Amino acid sequence: MSIPIFQRVESDWHHVPLHWGRVLFAKWKGSLYKLVWIDLTLYLFCYYVINLTYRFLLPPSQKRTFEDVVRFCEGMKGNIPVSFLLGFFVSGVIGRWYQMYMYIPWMNHIAYATMSYVNCADKAVSREIRISLMRYLNLAWILLMRRISDQIADRFKQLEDEPAWEGTDGFCPSKICRLRQLSNRSRVKRHPWSISQFQNNQHSVNRTPRTPFDGGLTSAYRQTMMADESPGLALHDVGEMDMFLAFEGEDEWSIRKTLQEFNKDPKIRETFGKIITESEIKAFEAIAQYYFKQTRQRYLPEYWVPLQWAVRLVQKAGLHGNLPDPRMIGYMFKEIGDFRHQLQTLEVYSSIMMPLVYTQVVIIAVYSYFGCEILASQFLEMPKVKGEAVVDFFIPVFSIFYFLFLMGWLKVGIVPTVP
């Protein structure tokens, strides 16, 4: 998680050194010290155990042997290419984390394109087509992001998945539950695809929950346009399929309940009324039953299905004159294709992690280096090199700095591996 610090520094430029001192040494959340304090404490504990043992417990003959070991470790620690390995590891992890974040699709661009292209013929039908297109795109976004994000999966889930200690009235007796409710509220306020960002001012709009295409389509033109409103799939009708009744057991995972819970989200009700209709839920059930018949495995709703519905809706809109230029059909296909490409890239990033061998090599290199450094940094009663003066400090200042640099660098590379 990124912690904003520059705004606080720039807010009072007369005291910039003081603010930088607070940022570097007095800020705990998101700081280097929070990441490495356990490792640093263990490192210093082992260092002082060895140091005190050398000074007060070892006889003179064993002290000479220990000093030879320290000189050997001093010469061997340079053979571990820790900086080289850490540099490649951190650059790869940070680059992957940044690219994954940049591939999260936002609705702004495609919403502007939809508003510009689908705006002809019957204005009311064009508006409903635009709403349905955005509904399908948001549904695809939710179906994918709930697979790779714990926060979104926690927001869009079944009521049966709530823990037993949380009451049905929403009251949580424990501190953990209250903190989770607060974090859920903050996530709702910052959700990227919500059009309502101003709940407490004049921009707030109270809408009656409704489903696009429900009611009001009385003209023959609208009936023709929406005759195939239910998403047709390359499958047989639900009632005509020879099903195994895979989802009738009480202990079975229910696609219907999961998708219906999407419609209960406050932002979805305020923006769309419903993000998925009954006919679309039946279409997902048909896919799930067909998938179970073929594989005997449970089916998770896939993000590309609503995108196929969006493509078919664009085709129908073009045929019925709701796109003023036939070339705009291709433009809309390109927008939907780019949107799907971003979702697919996110799925690839979430399924293919950094190679375990690479991570193991870096971690072993860093910890083995400091295993050697903990001996090489010991101050001796005799000079490490003949002819040099004896330097004896009780606190290994530069060794601590080096530990903060390298171990902090390693932690920076490990933390974003699961962003």
Side-chain angles (χ1 to χ4, degrees), residues 126-411:
S126 296
R127 179 178 180 275
E128 291 171 347
I129 293 173
R130 292 195 299 267
I131 293 176
S132 285
L133 284 176
M134 297 309 301
R135 189 166 56 84
Y136 290 149
L137 295 174
N138 279 277
L139 179 59
W141 192 94
I142 293 172
L143 290 177
L144 176 70
M145 295 300 293
R146 68 192 296 267
R147 289 189 177 190
I148 64 178
S149 171
D150 292 337
Q151 294 181 350
I152 298 177
D154 184 64
R155 178 177 176 179
F156 296 99
K157 65 178 182 180
Q158 300 182 36
L159 291 178
E160 289 82 358
D161 293 336
E162 294 292 337
W165 41 262
E166 184 172 348
T168 56
D169 56 352
F171 173 76
C172 296
S174 67
K175 181 179 179 181
I176 296 177
C177 183
R178 290 195 296 271
L179 291 175
R180 194 180 71 173
Q181 285 183 340
L182 291 175
S183 63
N184 287 341
R185 295 193 193 104
S186 64
R187 289 199 298 269
V188 170
K189 293 180 181 178
R190 295 191 297 267
H191 210 276
W193 48 259
S194 175
I195 65 171
S196 176
Q197 301 293 336
F198 312 94
Q199 294 185 353
N200 300 321
N201 58 24
Q202 67 273 17
H203 296 283
S204 179
V205 179
N206 295 324
R207 298 184 180 180
T208 302
R210 66 177 184 85
T211 304
F213 308 129
D214 284 353
L217 302 180
T218 56
S219 66
Y221 175 81
R222 295 187 183 184
Q223 292 176 2
T224 303
M225 180 64 196
M226 305 303 167
D228 192 21
E229 180 265 327
S230 60
L233 304 170
L235 299 170
H236 302 289
D237 186 74
V238 180
E240 298 176 356
M241 295 181 66
D242 182 17
M243 299 304 169
F244 289 91
L245 302 179
F247 301 97
E248 289 191 355
E250 295 182 356
D251 58 340
E252 285 290 345
W253 180 81
S254 174
I255 289 181
R256 170 173 291 275
K257 290 183 179 180
T258 300
L259 297 177
Q260 286 176 343
E261 290 301 318
F262 292 178
N263 293 330
K264 297 181 181 180
D265 185 81
K267 287 296 180 182
I268 288 179
R269 292 179 61 85
E270 183 179 2
T271 306
F272 297 106
K274 289 183 179 180
I275 199 168
I276 185 168
T277 62
E278 181 65 25
S279 59
E280 293 158 1
I281 293 177
K282 290 181 179 179
F284 269 114
E285 287 183 324
I287 299 175
Q289 292 172 348
Y290 182 80
Y291 181 82
F292 181 80
K293 179 180 179 180
Q294 298 296 323
T295 64
R296 295 292 181 170
Q297 296 178 358
R298 292 177 177 178
Y299 173 79
L300 293 176
E302 296 175 295
Y303 69 92
W304 54 265
V305 176
L307 296 181
Q308 286 188 330
W309 300 343
V311 169
R312 294 188 59 196
L313 188 56
V314 170
Q315 288 178 327
K316 291 169 58 179
L319 292 176
H320 289 81
N322 289 91
L323 277 74
D325 191 335
R327 291 176 297 180
M328 292 183 178
I329 300 178
Y331 297 156
M332 283 300 303
F333 286 167
K334 183 179 183 303
E335 296 290 343
I336 297 175
D338 293 341
F339 187 84
R340 176 170 180 170
H341 172 70
Q342 289 180 286
L343 294 179
Q344 187 175 8
T345 305
L346 283 178
E347 187 178 34
V348 171
Y349 271 119
S350 65
S351 59
I352 301 178
M353 306 300 295
M354 291 290 292
L356 177 62
V357 176
Y358 192 16
T359 307
Q360 288 176 333
V361 168
V362 174
I363 293 177
I364 292 174
V366 172
Y367 280 94
S368 61
Y369 175 84
F370 282 108
C372 185
E373 174 70 15
I374 203 171
L375 292 174
S377 61
Q378 294 289 335
F379 293 104
L380 304 178
E381 298 175 353
M382 301 292 292
K384 292 184 179 181
V385 180
K386 292 183 179 181
E388 291 186 355
V390 177
V391 179
D392 191 1
F393 293 129
F394 185 72
I395 300 177
V397 179
F398 294 100
S399 181
I400 292 176
F401 285 157
Y402 210 52
F403 185 91
L404 291 176
F405 299 153
L406 293 183
M407 189 60 66
W409 207 4
L410 176 64
K411 297 294 183 179

